[in-house]
Amino acid sequence: MHATVYAFASAWLTVLLGVTVVAVIRARSAPTRILALDMLVLVFIALLVLLSLRQNAPYLMDAALVLALLSFVATLAAARYHAVGRLFS
Amino acid sequence: MWLADALVVVAVLVITVSVYGLFRMPDVYTQLHAASKGVFLGEIGIICAAPLVADEAAITSRGVLIAVFLILTTPVSAHVVARAARMSREPMRTPGAIDESVGTGSADGALDGRLEGLLPGESRDPRGAGRES
């Protein structure tokens, strides 16, 4: 892959990361904030995959996998807490 | 390889459109389209560029793992967020939105489309609090 495509895509994904942080802060209700946090972690996973392809390092993909797992569980927990008021019934 | 270039560029474009959709959509229920479908598509695009570029097989195998996990869990988290928003009576601000999940309230359908109807699982008990404006 060309180095310019790597550089441009990584820089633009970092900008999108900042934009999603603004979306998390600006969210007007709790489900929107939960959704924006999930999207934040997904954008970060995309950035990590791109970086691991550039540096040829598999450990960044490990970090991306762990983040995907954590974001899924956190979205479930936050949504359940917002809906029901407790996590374990 | 130009195919990997094109995949990454298109995937980043799709993620951009999804993040923009998160800002522009008026409602949690429509923002779910952007957050779950759009970002997931961009992710899969970037992960599909991995076998074309990577020198090690470890990167490709982990990419496949991430893709499989995202395929399995993205609809589940979207559904859970939508259900949590609905159960906490998040209003539908999209113009022309019809709430079809209001169920067993009244027989003549007078409560359809309004948020004061019964949610699935509730019962019509005379409670003092609960009707929000």
Side-chain angles (χ1 to χ4, degrees), chain A residues 1-2 12 29 42 62 82, chain B residues 5 16 31 43 62 88 90:
Chain A
M1 222 191 291
H2 295 302
W12 186 243
S29 60
L42 283 180
D62 291 338
H82 177 69
Chain B
D5 285 346
T16 307
Q31 278 164 352
E43 300 269 353
R62 280 165 178 84
S88 64
E90 181 78 19

Side-chain angles (χ1 to χ4, degrees), chain B residues 9-125:
Chain B
V9 167
V10 168
V12 168
L13 267 175
V14 167
I15 293 184
T16 307
V17 169
S18 308
V19 173
Y20 180 61
L22 182 69
F23 273 97
R24 279 280 290 182
M25 290 294 180
D27 205 358
V28 190
Y29 308 101
T30 43
Q31 278 164 352
L32 271 170
H33 291 285
S36 61
K37 289 195 264 276
V39 180
F40 167 71
L41 190 61
E43 300 269 353
I44 296 299
I46 290 188
I47 289 175
C48 283
L52 305 170
V53 175
D55 295 331
E56 309 183 15
I59 295 181
T60 311
S61 59
R62 280 165 178 84
V64 167
L65 272 176
I66 293 175
V68 165
F69 184 74
L70 283 178
I71 287 172
L72 288 177
T73 66
T74 304
V76 176
S77 12
H79 167 257
V80 165
V81 169
R83 187 166 182 264
R86 185 67 188 94
M87 286 176 72
S88 64
R89 296 173 180 269
E90 181 78 19
M92 295 185 175
R93 291 190 199 95
T94 310
I98 300 176
D99 188 8
E100 291 176 356
S101 73
V102 176
T104 63
S106 59
D108 54 350
L111 288 173
D112 291 342
R114 278 185 273 155
L115 216 68
E116 287 86 14
L118 289 178
L119 295 173
E122 284 182 345
S123 64
R124 197 166 281 282
D125 285 328

